[in-house]
Amino acid sequence: MALIACLALASFAAYDLFRERGLATQEARDNTANLARLLEEQTRQTLRRVELMLNDANRRIKQIPSEARADNTSLRQQLQSLLPSDGLLRGFELIDPSGVVLVSTLPDVAGKGNALATRDWSAAGQAAQPRIGVGALEMERDGRWSLPVVQLVAATDGRIDGVLTAIVDPAYFQPAFDAINTGSNGFVTLFHAKGWILATAPANPALFARNWSDTPMFREHLPRSPTGTVQQVVVRDGTERVYSYRALKDYPVVVSIGVSLTDALAEWRARVRWDATLLALMTVLLMGAAVVMTRQLTRREAAERSLAESSAQTRAIVEGVADGIVTIDSAGRIETVNRAGEAMFGHAAEALLKRDVRVLLARPTQPDAPAGMWLSTVLQQAAGKRTEATGRRVDGSEFPMEVSITQTDRSGQPLYVALVRDTTQRKRFEAELRTQRAELEVMNRELEDFAYLSSHDLQEPLRKIRSFAQLLRQRIGATLEARSVSYLDYIEEAGGRLHALIRDLLEYSRTSRGPLTLEAVDLKQLATAVVNDLSTAIAEAQATVQLGKLPVVQADATQMRLLLQNLLSNALKFRGPQAPLIVVWAEVDASTCRLSVRDNGIGIDRKYHATIFQSLKRLHTREQYLGTGLGLAICNRVAERHGGEIHVASALGEGSVFTLSIPLQPNSTRSHAESLGKETA
C-alpha cells in the first residue's frame, strides 16, 4: 500500500510539476505582454509629444522665408522656447536639402557640414514621410548619445525646404525602463524599425553600435506579426528568454521586454528538487505528505507575492504616465484611476471606484441608457482612434480632452483602458491661430484695396506729367540744348515705365477683387483671340504660334484671357537668337485641366523657379528686357483664384514650359484672402 501510495503521489507530483511549469511559463508570457503593451503606449505618447513639438516648430519656420532662415536669431529663439523643461529634447536643428545646418539651438554644430545629408534620418526626412522619421543613435561631441527625430519642411509648391530635426535625449527613457523589474537577466529595449537599439535597460551603450536586424525578432517574427510573445534563445547573450515585442503602427520603433526563462522557472526548479527529496522520504514515511501540502501552500503564497509585485510594477508605470488612465469594467463602472487622472478630473481615486464612467463626461450621449450598453456603443464608434470629448471636473467645470479606448481581457471578461489627455492648452493655441489668421486676412484685404485705389488715383497726375513734358518738347524743344532735351527724354521714359507699372498693378489688384464670374470658356477661341491681339508683336518677332487641342472649362473668361496674354507676351519678349516657336495645348483628366505654354526662348535658371511668380520679381535689367515684373505674379494670382496652381519647367538656353493646373469645377466664391488664409494655415 505504501508503494502504491508513493507511486500515486509520484504520478500526481509529476503531473502537477508539468502543469505548474506551463503555468509559470504562461504567467511570464502574460506579464511580459502586458508590460510591453504599456511600454508601447508610453513610447507612443512620448513620440507624439515630439511630433507635436515638431509640428509647432515647422509652422514657425514656414512663417520665415527660406532665404532668411540661415542663422536667424529670432527663429533660433522661437525654437529654443519650444524645448520642454523635462529634458525630453536637447534642441532643434534646421537642415537644408544639401545637409547644411541653417539654424540650431545646440551650443556647437561646427564641423557637421554637408555630412548630414548622408544620414539615414536626413534622407528619411527628405523622402517626405507622412509624419516623422526616427534615426539611429548618434554620439555627440560631448560624449552623450542623441536620438534624431525628423520632419520634412516643405514649401507650398511641393519642393523640399529642408529637414527639421528634434534631438531627443535617449536618457529620458531610462528611468521608466529601470523601473520595470525583469529579474537578474532580463531586459527592456526600444529598437528602431531597422534594427538599431535606441534605449535599453540595463543600460549598455556598447549595444548601440551594432545593428540587430539579423536577429530572429526582425528576420522571422516581425514580418509575420507586429506584436507577439516568443520563447527562444536571445542572440545578444545566448540566454533562453520569454520576451514580448510590439511594433508601433504610426512610428518606426519596436518595444521589447524579456525575462530569462531561468528566472521565470526558478521557483519551479526549486519545487522539482524539493519534490524529489520529498518522494524519497515518502518511501520511508507516508507522513511526508503533510510536508508536501505545507510546501505547496508556501509556494502558492510566494506566487501570490510575485503576482502582487508584478502588479505593483505595472501600477508604478501607469502612475508615472503624464496622461490620465482610467480602467472600466464591462458594466461601465470605474475600477482604477491613476494620479494624472485624479489631477485632471479633481476626484480622488477612491471616490470614483465602482461609479458610472459617465460621471467624468460633461455631455455623454444616451445619458439614460445602462452604462454597459452605452459603453458598448462608444467602443464601436471610437475603436482604434482618438476621439474628442468634453470632460467634467469635480467642481462642475468643463474642459476639452482626447480619449483613446482599448480593450483587453481579464479572466475571460473584457476590461477597457481609457487614455485621457487634457487639450485645453492646444485648443487655446488653435483659437489664437484662427484669430491671427483672421487678422491677417483683414490686413491683406486692406492692402489690396490700398494698392487698387492708389494705382487708380495715380493715373491722372501721371498723365498730366507726361502731357506737359510732351507740350514742352513741342513748344520749346527746338530751342533747348542737348542736355535739356535729354532731361525731357528721361521724364517721358520714366513716365512710360511708371504708367506700365500702374497699369500692371491695377491688373494685379483686379485679379483679387470680388468673386469669380464662372462660365463656360472655350480655351481655343480665347487663345485665338489673344493671338490676334498680339499679331503685330508676333509679326515683328517673326514668331510662330501653334494652338493644340484646347477644351471648354468653367472659368473667369477675363482672367483666363489675361493669363494667356501674359504668358504669350513673355514668350515673345524673352526670345532667343532663333525665331520664336510657341505651342499652346491642354490635357484633361477626371477632375483637372492642365493648360501648357511652351517656347524656345532663353529659358530660366532652375534656382529662380520658385521666385519668378512673386510680385515685382525681375531676373533682367530694364536695358535688357522691358517689363514691370508683375506678369507672372498676375498669372499666379489667376491660378490661385481658380483653386489651382502654376509652375514652370525650364533651364537656361532650353526654353520654358509654363503649366496651369485648375479644377474642372472651381469654387466661384473663393477670394484671394481665403487663398492666403489657406496658405498661412
Side-chain angles (χ1 to χ4, degrees), residues 301-624:
E301 291 174 356
E304 291 174 352
R305 286 195 300 272
S306 177
L307 181 60
E309 292 174 358
S310 177
S311 298
Q313 294 169 3
T314 303
R315 184 66 182 175
I317 295 175
V318 171
E319 293 295 341
V321 175
D323 290 339
I325 299 179
V326 182
T327 59
I328 312 160
D329 64 16
S330 58
R333 296 186 298 265
I334 298 172
E335 287 203 351
T336 62
V337 180
N338 70 342
R339 282 195 294 267
E342 289 181 305
M344 188 179 302
F345 292 101
H347 289 275
E350 295 78 7
L352 290 173
L353 297 184
K354 300 304 179 182
R355 295 184 64 181
D356 190 323
V357 69
R358 286 174 290 188
V359 72
L360 303 179
L361 299 176
R363 292 177 292 278
T365 58
Q366 302 177 351
D368 298 328
M373 183 183 301
W374 171 84
L375 183 61
S376 176
T377 303
V378 170
L379 287 174
Q380 291 177 359
Q381 298 173 348
K385 60 184 179 182
R386 298 189 72 88
T387 58
E388 299 282 345
T390 303
R392 180 172 60 193
R393 300 186 181 91
V394 67
D395 60 2
S397 59
E398 299 179 1
F399 64 96
M401 61 184 183
E402 280 185 349
V403 182
S404 176
I405 302 178
T406 57
Q407 178 180 340
T408 185
D409 291 331
R410 182 186 59 186
S411 302
Q413 293 295 323
L415 179 68
Y416 305 106
V417 181
L419 273 75
V420 184
R421 172 170 295 177
D422 187 342
T423 59
T424 301
Q425 291 185 352
R426 193 188 75 189
K427 295 291 185 181
R428 185 181 300 115
F429 178 70
E430 292 173 351
E432 291 175 356
L433 283 181
R434 287 193 295 270
T435 301
Q436 293 173 1
R437 188 178 302 123
E439 293 174 352
L440 182 61
E441 291 176 1
V442 171
M443 292 173 61
N444 279 304
R445 284 196 294 270
E446 292 175 350
L447 286 174
E448 288 177 357
D449 292 342
F450 175 77
Y452 178 80
L453 295 174
S454 299
S455 301
H456 187 274
D457 294 344
L458 284 173
Q459 289 188 97
E460 183 59 29
L462 176 62
R463 188 180 297 111
K464 290 183 178 180
I465 292 173
R466 297 180 68 191
S467 297
F468 280 112
Q470 292 172 359
L471 286 173
L472 283 174
R473 182 185 297 276
Q474 293 173 1
R475 293 189 177 183
I476 62 173
T479 64
L480 293 176
E481 59 181 357
R483 177 176 297 179
S484 298
V485 173
S486 66
Y487 291 161
L488 284 176
D489 292 339
Y490 292 151
I491 293 174
E492 292 183 357
E493 180 184 355
R497 289 201 304 269
L498 185 56
H499 173 73
L501 179 60
I502 292 174
R503 180 197 62 214
D504 287 351
L505 280 173
L506 279 172
E507 293 292 347
Y508 185 71
S509 298
R510 288 190 182 108
T511 59
S512 303
R513 298 175 64 83
L516 297 177
T517 303
L518 295 182
E519 56 185 334
V521 178
D522 189 331
L523 293 181
K524 189 64 171 282
Q525 293 181 0
L526 190 64
T528 302
V530 172
V531 171
N532 291 335
D533 292 343
L534 298 174
S535 57
T536 301
I538 292 173
E540 291 177 353
Q542 298 180 348
T544 301
V545 180
Q546 298 177 356
L547 301 182
K549 185 177 180 180
L550 294 169
V552 176
V553 297
Q554 289 290 320
D556 187 300
T558 301
Q559 294 199 10
M560 292 299 293
R561 185 187 188 102
L562 187 60
L563 179 140
L564 280 172
Q565 182 174 323
N566 277 287
L567 292 180
L568 291 177
S569 297
N570 278 358
L572 294 171
K573 182 193 304 182
F574 300 103
R575 58 181 180 268
Q578 69 273 34
L581 173 62
I582 306 170
V583 182
V584 183
W585 78 98
E587 298 175 350
V588 178
D589 59 23
S591 61
T592 306
C593 173
R594 285 178 287 275
L595 174 64
S596 299
V597 177
R598 183 179 65 212
D599 63 58
N600 61 344
I602 62 175
I604 304 170
D605 195 322
R606 288 184 175 87
K607 65 183 179 181
Y608 298 117
H609 287 188
T611 61
I612 59 174
F613 296 103
Q614 297 175 3
S615 303
L616 303 176
K617 183 67 177 181
R618 295 177 54 90
L619 303 184
H620 307 88
T621 64
R622 291 186 176 87
E623 289 73 17
Q624 294 175 298

